[in-house]
Amino acid sequence: MSVHSEIKKITTETLRKMKFDKEKITMLTAYDFTTAKMVDAGGVDSILIGDSAANVMAGHETTLPITLDQMIYHTQCVVRGVERALVVADLPFGTYQSNPEKALDSAVRMMKEGGAHAIKIEGGKEIEESIRKIVNAGIPVCGHLGLTPQSIYQFGTYKVRAKEDAEAEKLISDCKLLEELGCFAIVLEKIPAALAKKASESISIPTIGIGAGPDCDGQVLVYHDMVGMNQGFSPKFLRRYLDLYSEITGAVSQYVKDVKNADFPNDKESY
Ligand code: KIV
């Protein structure tokens, strides 16, 4: 049982303590008020407004098209539904890579207009100065290493990353760098479990894994995937807790039948 379940508001400091106390951290995505309210009520420690909103909310093939204004809108909706969880928002592609000043401006907008408690950005050494600038402004930063979907056109595939020694070594050194720069946590996506274990043991800030095995300090999943809304997506790492796609299409087809048969609304449902 969680020693931190009584906490009224989760902070970056709570996550650090969870790692220290060996209590696993839970994170799920949400992009709207109603979902955020349910996810928060379910007791998740952190809610991520992932740029996966580009995929699951907008139907894009990659995360690249979503804009900062759109991410700010999703974040505002989520923040209104959350009482306890730490709200982390992704900075989308193109809003932090070009220079540190732009990165800081984007992060400030996300905090000021979106109301996020922290931001997440993808990359290591390449974006060192941007991370430094954002952290120095007092904004909590979560890193993201391994499979970083904003670089998908450079990778070419969504396969497991860092299987080769050189990429694995870079990942470990990026983890250490992100810790030195003051990041409060690092998402590790789709890397070998043994490497994620090594990475988690080599830093004192928490790692939050997705497709990175059981030894990360926490786990994150995309909400639509874990509740089974996203039928076509079934990677090995995904555990589905519901089959909402079938539940919802079943309910919709029942509603269609009821209306067509003049069974809905009945007398009790009418004024
Ligand atoms: O955008 C997202 O949902 C993410 C998670 C997969 C970690 O970055």
Side-chain angles (χ1 to χ4, degrees):
M1 187 50 202
S2 154
V3 290
H4 296 100
S5 58
E6 296 309 313
I7 289 180
K8 294 226 162 19
K9 272 201 186 297
I10 302 286
T11 65
T12 56
E13 191 47 33
T14 321
L15 301 193
R16 273 198 206 99
K17 285 201 189 110
M18 285 180 176
K19 170 158 181 148
F20 185 78
D21 293 339
K22 297 193 176 356
E23 176 181 335
K24 295 283 189 187
I25 296 163
T26 54
M27 182 187 250
L28 278 175
T29 64
Y31 318 97
D32 67 273
F33 170 79
T34 306
T35 307
K37 231 174 146 51
M38 291 188 291
V39 169
D40 194 47
V44 87
D45 299 313
S46 180
I47 294 184
L48 173 68
I49 301 98
D51 58 0
S52 50
N55 309 117
V56 295
M57 300 302 289
H60 291 295
E61 267 191 30
T62 72
T63 57
L64 274 66
I66 200 160
T67 66
L68 184 57
D69 284 340
Q70 289 166 338
M71 286 299 294
I72 288 173
Y73 170 73
H74 285 299
T75 304
Q76 290 167 339
C77 298
V78 165
V79 165
R80 286 193 282 267
V82 174
E83 284 178 16
R84 178 179 176 274
L86 179 79
V87 177
V88 183
D90 268 347
L91 290 190
F93 177 67
T95 66
Y96 61 91
Q97 291 92 343
S98 57
N99 68 65
E101 284 70 31
K102 182 165 181 180
L104 178 58
D105 288 349
S106 304
V108 167
R109 282 198 64 202
M110 186 52 90
M111 302 295 283
K112 218 185 206 357
E113 297 172 41
H117 307 151
I119 60 105
K120 174 165 85 57
I121 49 183
E122 296 182 5
K125 181 86 185 137
E126 318 74 36
I127 56 160
E128 176 175 359
E129 289 314 317
S130 295
I131 296 175
R132 197 187 307 279
K133 194 126 188 127
I134 299 172
V135 171
N136 283 346
I139 298 174
V141 175
C142 179
H144 185 155
L145 299 171
L147 177 66
T148 46
Q150 292 177 16
S151 306
I152 190 59
Y153 288 113
Q154 198 170 54
F155 296 154
T157 79
Y158 285 99
K159 285 194 187 135
V160 177
R161 301 299 312 177
K163 282 168 117 176
E164 309 298 330
D165 287 352
E167 197 178 335
E169 275 162 32
K170 180 176 181 324
L171 186 131
I172 298 288
S173 94
D174 278 343
C175 280
K176 291 180 180 162
L177 176 65
L178 294 190
E179 175 174 28
E180 261 171 53
L181 290 170
C183 289
F184 71 88
I186 305 174
V187 166
L188 295 177
E189 181 163 353
K190 231 171 167 186
I191 60 170
L195 178 62
K197 181 175 193 298
K198 187 173 169 195
S200 305
E201 285 168 355
S202 66
I203 52 175
S204 61
I205 56 171
T207 58
I208 304 179
I210 173 161
D215 295 307
C216 292
D217 303 301
Q219 297 292 327
V220 55
L221 284 176
V222 169
Y223 170 81
H224 290 65
D225 300 339
M226 69 80 73
V227 296
M229 280 186 175
N230 205 351
Q231 257 207 333
F233 184 68
S234 38
K236 178 177 173 181
F237 69 76
L238 176 62
R239 186 178 295 180
R240 284 212 176 89
Y241 288 82
L242 288 170
D243 180 10
L244 275 195
Y245 186 92
S246 305
E247 292 282 322
I248 292 172
T249 51
V252 169
S253 72
Q254 187 59 49
Y255 166 75
V256 169
K257 274 189 207 136
D258 290 353
V259 173
K260 299 275 182 198
N261 296 336
D263 180 57
F264 174 80
N266 61 23
D267 286 349
K268 281 193 198 149
E269 289 156 340
S270 305
Y271 296 101

